[in-house]
Amino acid sequence: MAEVLVAPRHRVERRAMGWWALRAAAVTVVVGGVLGVGYLLITPWRGVLGPVLLVALGVGLVHLVLAPPWRYAVHRWEVTGEAVYVRSGWFVREWRIAPISRVQTVDTVRGPVQQALGLATVTVTTASAAGPITLVGLDHRTADTVARELAEITQATPGDAT
Amino acid sequence: MSAGTDEHRGRGGDEPATPPPTFPNGDEAATGRSEQSARWERLDARVIWVDLVRVLLSLVPMVVTPVVFGGVVDGSVLWPVAVVGAVGVVGAVADVLRWLKTRYRITGERVEVRSGLLVRSHRSVRRDRIRSVDTTARLRHRLAGLRVVAVRAGDRTGGSASLRLDAVSAATAARLQDELPTGAGTATGTTAEPTGAEAGGAAKPEPAGAGTATGTTSGAGGAEAGLRAKPEPTGVGTTTRTVPGAGGDGVLATFRWAWVPYNAFTVWAFLTAAGLGWGAYWFGSTVGVDLAGVVAGLADWGALGTGWTVVVAVLAAGVVGVIGVGTAFVVEHWGFRLVRADGPRGTVLRTSHGLFRTRRVDRDDARLRGVELREPLPWRWSTATETSVVSTGLTANSWTTGASTILPKAPMADARRVAGAVLRDDRPLATPLRAHPPAALRRRLGWAVLVSGLLTGGLWWFAPGSWWLAGVGVVPVALGLAVLAYRSLGHALVGQHLVTSHGLNRTTVVLRRGAVIGVAFRQSVLQRRLGLVTLRTTTAAGAGVYPAPDLLVADGVALADATVPGLLTPYRGEMPVSSSTVGSAA
């Protein structure tokens, strides 16, 4: 793919790995916690819940170790006067390109963990049901700048962008 | 896109009066029609009469049953009859209450409906956001000259309508259907004959809400005429290369009896048979006939043995079900016509059909982005194809409402002819598609082996005895499906259209290139090893995403770049880069 389609210019912040790791850990803790409580309280089910718990913890651990650096290697973004271009994913990669003229709305989102890490997500929606393009793991100042510039460019574009 | 509808729910008591509407221009207000329309209006009063008749009808069994049984009525007979009566009466009373509490208003800018007894709701839709206006009529509506009007706006791409008027008079419904999507305009009849130069004038796009209100009263008789119109010869539809924007083409398709078998043989036939059988048994038991006993007495089932009994039962259910589904299809699609008619804001694709319950759907041509042909796998050999439009505001999976379907299952030749006429270009579907690389076949075969292997392993581990052999038996089936799935893959760029096809139920999508509002590539680790990529074109219409799975990487990028000229050009690298993850960092 790299030979025919160059990667977007900018990497995401290194801190984003921490955010992805925290998210993965949180999911593992919740799932593992539910299964663990089930294992302790519902004794007749232990034969089934025991292996399931082990598998869940194993998958969670592998995901925690593997996914954040892999995502960091894959995730890239670029915004020009013509298009928003994002590469994301890890096991399944996705390249998404939307012309600026088709952008409907731009907003930034900062969850509590993102705020603690100084990160922000820029969400760019188009009229498609395919879902918004998200630029994750940006420094919150960069995100604000990007969102502001995008909004200015979008407002200058006529039409209803469908 | 969600700004079209405002909803305020849960307000107790009366709402403050809505301020008087502002009209886009003075002319419209001066015609008098708008002043009249700006009043809050009730639904048609005939709804009440229909409800009264429903009450009487649902009470009929209560009167008749004692007569039939000669005054001897026990609980087993009385209960079903009482339930039928109670449901009918409660439903009718609730409907009367709904009628009492519902008001609607059409201003120059908005359509508003206030309704609800306990939970008051006030819903308004901006007229320039309206994407389709359907009218339906059940038998009781038709007998009373009523129509149910459903208004769909862009805010909800799902099945439900943005707002419904249940019900208004047929004349009002026709008027609404002609005027609503436009703000105002000349009301043409529902028959498809364009009247020469006037039709060309009417087809001129007008800004929403700014049209003139001339001729609005002439729409009154139009819908009735259209619904009762005799089918016209289909020959007109074969002229596919008309100039775009040239106004209505006339009739594109009419009902053909040859379509019935295509739609009657479905898996739903058995479900229908079960429903019919249960209904008959239930009805029989209310009037004192033991249907199970009758069936048991038809043949010596014991002598036939279990195997043959099952065979006979399945066959009988199949026959009953197919007849049932076929009848339902004929009743629903009676007098089916697909026409391209002149609407006030350009042309519309209009389907109208139904014997007892009539339905007419107008789809704005200006919102048309493409066509989708779907060939279900079990009937691939018969070339049965269902045709629907890809249009903004109509989702592809709205088969529940059927608003996007413009032709029921029909032979491929019919579907292609109609699709070509709808696109006004028959080349996209006539051009052979380019096959996808053999690696795509390898990927599918690999998945087939993996899935059937996992199934076999699971059966061997969990199921007793030699059940795992069934898993082995699945392998050739899975491999066959993999080959079929591969053979479905194809893509082409024909003129102004991107054509892609994929899926076991082969789905061919013709999408206008200008409607593509973004591209995405997806590549799993396994696809990467095979040098494949899935191109997903995003659009504001239909399903929103139309994939072209498993293209060669270079082909995928080239196809996307050609589809949306210039979009990818700045990112197309000619020189090889050592790895995609290193290089130009921020």
Side-chain angles (χ1 to χ4, degrees), chain A residues 1-6 9-11 70 73 76 78 80 85 87 91-97 99 102 127-128 130, chain B residues 514 516-525 528 538-540 543-545 553 567-568 571-573 580-581 584 586:
Chain A
M1 198 74 187
E3 296 81 42
V4 287
L5 198 67
V6 298
R9 185 170 297 139
H10 308 295
R11 272 181 192 279
W70 198 346
R76 279 163 170 274
E78 181 173 339
T80 67
Y85 177 23
R87 190 173 75 182
F91 189 81
V92 178
R93 292 178 182 198
E94 190 171 46
W95 291 254
R96 289 188 67 167
I97 302 145
R102 306 293 196 168
S128 168
Chain B
V516 176
I517 61 171
V519 296
F521 301 97
R522 285 185 95 124
Q523 192 181 47
S524 68
V525 171
R528 194 178 178 192
T538 57
T539 173
V545 188
V553 168
L567 178 61
L568 290 180
Y571 311 117
R572 290 186 75 173
S580 57
T581 54
S584 55

Side-chain angles (χ1 to χ4, degrees), chain B residues 232-258:
Chain B
E232 287 164 37
T234 48
V236 194
T238 53
T239 58
T240 52
R241 290 273 183 90
T242 43
V243 184
D249 305 347
V251 182
L252 304 182
T254 52
F255 184 82
R256 286 183 54 198
W257 285 99

Side-chain angles (χ1 to χ4, degrees), chain B residues 290-375:
Chain B
D290 181 18
L291 224 65
V294 173
V295 172
L298 277 179
D300 189 359
W301 301 108
L304 220 53
T306 314
W308 281 108
T309 306
V310 168
V311 168
V312 169
V314 166
L315 278 179
V319 169
V320 170
V322 163
I323 292 173
V325 172
T327 310
F329 171 75
V330 171
V331 167
E332 196 193 332
H333 288 87
W334 187 263
F336 175 88
R337 282 156 55 89
L338 169 67
V339 298
R340 178 169 263 142
D342 287 302
R345 191 172 46 174
T347 52
V348 293
L349 280 172
R350 171 178 301 158
T351 51
S352 53
H353 52 87
L355 184 60
F356 301 123
R357 181 174 188 265
T358 57
R359 180 146 200 236
R360 177 185 135 178
V361 185
D362 282 7
R363 302 162 194 83
D364 200 342
D365 251 349
R367 299 189 185 278
L368 183 75
R369 299 289 184 272
V371 168
E372 181 174 317
L373 303 183
R374 194 166 164 279
E375 301 163 69

Side-chain angles (χ1 to χ4, degrees), chain B residues 144-193:
Chain B
L146 293 172
R147 297 289 181 270
V148 180
V149 177
V151 176
R152 286 170 215 285
D155 64 315
R156 48 189 64 199
T157 43
S160 63
S162 298
L163 53 85
R164 281 164 63 84
L165 299 174
D166 178 8
V168 295
S169 71
T172 309
R175 191 167 57 81
L176 292 177
Q177 201 160 24
D178 283 330
E179 290 175 33
L180 269 191
T182 66
T186 49
T188 56
T190 54
T191 42
E193 282 82 18

Side-chain angles (χ1 to χ4, degrees), chain B residues 468-479:
Chain B
W468 61 274
L469 283 171
V472 177
V474 166
V475 172
V477 177
L479 291 177

Side-chain angles (χ1 to χ4, degrees), chain B residues 264 266-277 313-322 325:
Chain B
T266 66
V267 285
W268 303 111
F270 287 102
L271 205 67
T272 309
L276 284 174
V314 166
L315 278 179
V319 169
V320 170
V322 163
V325 172

